[in-house]
Amino acid sequence: MSSAVVMQDVSFGYEARSPIIQIKDLQIEKGKRVFLHGSSGSGKSTLLGLISGVLLPQQGTCEVLGKELTQLSLSARDRHRGSEMGYIFQSFNLIPYLTVKENIGLPCRVHAKRRKRITAPNLDEEVERIARRLDIHDFLDRGVTRLSTGQQQRVAIARAVIGSPRLVIADEPTSALDTDRQERFLQLLLEVCDEARATLIFVSHDRSLMAHFDERISLADINQASASTSASQVRV
């Protein structure tokens, strides 16, 4: 099985000579459900920024879905991220002045590759199909600010997976939820990622969620910049 993410000899810091991330070797295989955990301030969001191409390493290489990000221009990285990656933010980052339907369909309207991969005859029907799968089809014409937290989460999932991105990244999306809501959210996320055949990188500090995933990565174990580093290499 080929790799979705390959990072080698990567170093990144916001200040000179103060690296936040130093990773010798990280490989994530395509199709895996990976749980990435670490304490607050350990560099989890920075690592996701490198994987998504928002940030570039100052040293080393970062290949994601067959593209060496350090060799791409800013606009090319933006296109690659939008076409091939779905992102679920901790605060969801839904666009408040758009309806549920408009929020879900936005990646396919902006990125032609996403739109070409839909399975329904047209985008409106694809949005409704995914919304029905996530039980939010009755709210498609409603503004997202009128939804409950749980409903907003489902909109965020739908937006992340529409158009079958090859990689879905979830950054602490369950941090404000109670245990029951965490379980329901995770079950839905894993099911729709399976249907889309997407690799999933799920980031959290809550290790009680690890049982849901194929592989677990401790940032402290792979990040040489961390004081608690116990290893410099991981393969998943």
Side-chain angles (χ1 to χ4, degrees):
M1 184 178 292
S2 57
S3 296
V5 176
V6 180
M7 302 180 75
Q8 293 184 320
D9 299 316
V10 164
S11 180
F12 177 86
Y14 295 100
E15 298 179 4
R17 299 183 181 179
S18 298
I20 296 173
I21 296 291
Q22 284 185 309
I23 293 176
K24 180 68 175 175
D25 187 9
L26 170 64
Q27 299 187 37
I28 296 174
E29 291 180 358
K30 289 180 180 177
K32 289 288 188 180
R33 308 288 174 258
V34 176
F35 183 86
L36 175 66
H37 62 92
S39 59
S40 296
S42 62
K44 298 188 301 295
S45 293
T46 300
L47 177 57
L48 295 186
L50 292 167
I51 291 173
S52 63
V54 173
L55 303 173
L56 282 181
Q58 279 122 8
Q59 295 179 12
T61 60
C62 183
E63 182 179 304
V64 179
L65 302 172
K67 298 282 188 179
E68 174 49 57
L69 300 185
T70 61
Q71 301 299 315
L72 300 181
S73 66
L74 176 60
S75 60
R77 295 199 309 274
D78 287 345
R79 288 193 299 272
H80 185 55
R81 179 171 56 255
S83 298
E84 305 297 347
M85 304 180 207
Y87 212 109
I88 303 173
F89 298 89
Q90 183 174 358
S91 57
F92 312 140
N93 284 18
L94 302 177
I95 299 177
Y97 53 83
L98 298 183
T99 65
V100 170
K101 178 167 65 177
E102 290 167 337
N103 266 279
I104 295 173
L106 187 61
C108 289
R109 295 192 182 281
V110 175
H111 301 285
K113 280 189 175 181
R114 293 277 282 265
R115 184 162 186 155
K116 287 178 180 179
R117 292 195 295 256
I118 64 175
T119 58
N122 57 61
L123 181 56
D124 284 346
E125 290 185 42
E126 182 74 352
V127 169
E128 181 163 356
R129 181 188 72 81
I130 294 174
R132 190 171 293 277
R133 174 70 182 80
L134 294 168
D135 198 25
I136 50 174
H137 55 285
D138 288 336
F139 312 117
L140 285 173
D141 294 321
R142 185 177 297 183
V144 292
T145 58
R146 297 175 55 204
L147 301 182
S148 69
T149 299
Q151 290 163 348
Q152 289 181 3
Q153 283 181 316
R154 293 177 184 221
V155 175
I157 294 175
R159 185 180 63 180
V161 302
I162 194 168
S164 300
R166 292 188 286 161
L167 174 63
V168 173
I169 298 172
D171 187 4
E172 299 267 13
T174 62
S175 59
L177 301 181
D178 59 35
T179 301
D180 288 342
R181 288 181 177 177
Q182 282 183 344
E183 291 290 329
R184 289 196 294 271
F185 176 86
L186 276 175
Q187 191 61 40
L188 282 170
L189 177 60
L190 291 168
E191 287 176 3
V192 295
C193 283
D194 282 343
E195 291 169 8
R197 298 180 180 178
T199 304
L200 172 63
I201 301 176
F202 186 97
V203 176
S204 179
H205 63 275
D206 186 352
R207 299 189 189 189
S208 68
L209 306 176
M210 290 196 299
H212 295 274
F213 295 85
D214 302 325
E215 306 289 348
R216 296 93 173 173
I217 298 175
S218 166
L219 188 54
D221 287 347
I222 66 170
N223 185 15
Q224 295 176 319
S226 170
S228 57
T229 295
S230 62
S232 64
Q233 180 171 351
V234 65
R235 295 180 183 274
V236 296

